[in-house]
Amino acid sequence: MTKDITKVTPYNSEATKKSQVEDMFDNIAPKYDLLNHVLSMKIDVLWRNKLVKWMKNDNPQEVLDVATGTGDLAITIEKGTGSKVVGLDLSQQMLNVGVIKIKKLKLDGKISMQKGDAENLPFEDNRFDAVSVAFGVRNFENLPKGLAELRRVVKDNKSVYILEFSKVEGFMGPFYMFYFKNILPAIGKLVSKDNRAYTYLPDSVNAFPFGEKMKQILLDTGFKKVEYKKLSLGIATIYKATK
């Protein structure tokens, strides 16, 4: 039986999922970029590029990147579309790393970073030409509320782009799950010194809806059209939900 995603938390403490997620990312922020690229063998870079290539068709002028973390997707969006980007994240420590990266790239005039909650976005309705989230919706405490907020702030006839882990199906599935549940957490613990963060990753992916289930959730949120593309045998999926 699949576990309720809202019940899957980083530290299994009495604190809310939201505060546990914030603590987890604050804890792993200094090593996050290194681990991300090592554990994915830099395939995550290709995934972000595919999302931005899809988004570029919309010719966005201003994009909101939710759960921006250290700003990797925000930077890719700016380089790929030339749009202004607002990056928002719950973790101040992740944002601090991102701000340094953005300044080094001399993009601080094009990308702004701010602390905020995806489920209570501090922006007016219909503001952005596109909204993106990479590997963040899995961490929402209230998934329907978070998705409704993404829809609220994007303009009519514009789209929300979600890049999220899914599950490898077919004969490769068991091999990938072994890596995901055993090898990946061991490396994560060794490098980040956070015993729980990289155990939470496979747990949360395992509980998260993907493919047709995620498409239906987005349609139920009020989006009029939802498309999706599987990446790398289904390790990740990009969803395009149009308002």
Side-chain angles (χ1 to χ4, degrees), residues 156-206:
D156 286 339
N157 300 310
K158 297 297 186 180
S159 301
V160 172
Y161 292 83
I162 295 169
L163 170 58
E164 190 51 88
F165 287 114
S166 41
K167 291 179 190 171
V168 177
E169 297 177 298
F171 78 97
M172 286 297 293
F175 298 102
Y176 180 69
M177 280 312 295
F178 179 81
Y179 168 76
F180 211 47
K181 292 202 71 131
N182 297 283
I183 310 300
L184 184 149
I187 298 170
K189 287 174 190 176
L190 188 69
V191 177
S192 74
K193 309 297 187 224
D194 189 310
N195 287 337
R196 182 62 192 147
Y198 288 87
T199 307
Y200 165 73
L201 176 58
D203 288 351
S204 62
V205 171
N206 208 36

Side-chain angles (χ1 to χ4, degrees), residues 200-235:
Y200 165 73
L201 176 58
D203 288 351
S204 62
V205 171
N206 208 36
F208 195 75
F210 66 98
E212 287 296 309
K213 284 186 179 177
M214 184 60 176
K215 177 179 177 177
Q216 191 57 54
I217 289 169
L218 288 162
L219 289 170
D220 291 344
T221 303
F223 290 100
K224 66 182 181 184
K225 183 182 179 185
V226 179
E227 307 161 78
Y228 64 91
K229 295 178 181 179
K230 290 183 179 181
L231 307 171
S232 306
L233 300 174
I235 296 174

Side-chain angles (χ1 to χ4, degrees), residues 4-5 15 24 45 54 74 79 86 94 146 154 159 195 205 226:
D4 179 358
I5 186 63
M24 177 186 74
V45 175
W54 204 1
K79 287 183 173 178
V86 178
M94 293 282 277
V154 77
S159 301
N195 287 337
V205 171
V226 179

Side-chain angles (χ1 to χ4, degrees), residues 30-45 47-48 72 165 176 179-180 183-192 198 201 235:
K31 303 287 186 182
Y32 180 79
D33 283 342
L34 170 67
L35 273 167
N36 234 14
H37 297 322
V38 168
L39 294 174
S40 73
M41 292 172 282
K42 285 206 170 182
I43 298 172
D44 62 312
V45 175
W47 295 341
R48 288 188 188 89
D72 274 354
F165 287 114
Y176 180 69
Y179 168 76
F180 211 47
I183 310 300
L184 184 149
I187 298 170
K189 287 174 190 176
L190 188 69
V191 177
S192 74
Y198 288 87
L201 176 58
I235 296 174

Side-chain angles (χ1 to χ4, degrees), residues 77-114:
I77 290 168
E78 194 285 327
K79 287 183 173 178
T81 68
S83 61
K84 285 201 165 187
V85 185
V86 178
L88 179 136
D89 202 275
L90 202 57
S91 165
Q92 187 60 54
Q93 296 306 318
M94 293 282 277
L95 289 168
N96 292 347
V97 174
V99 166
I100 292 167
K101 273 171 32 179
I102 288 161
K103 281 185 176 171
K104 278 183 181 173
L105 293 167
K106 296 184 170 55
L107 293 174
D108 37 326
K110 297 294 298 281
I111 303 172
S112 61
M113 302 283 267
Q114 68 182 79

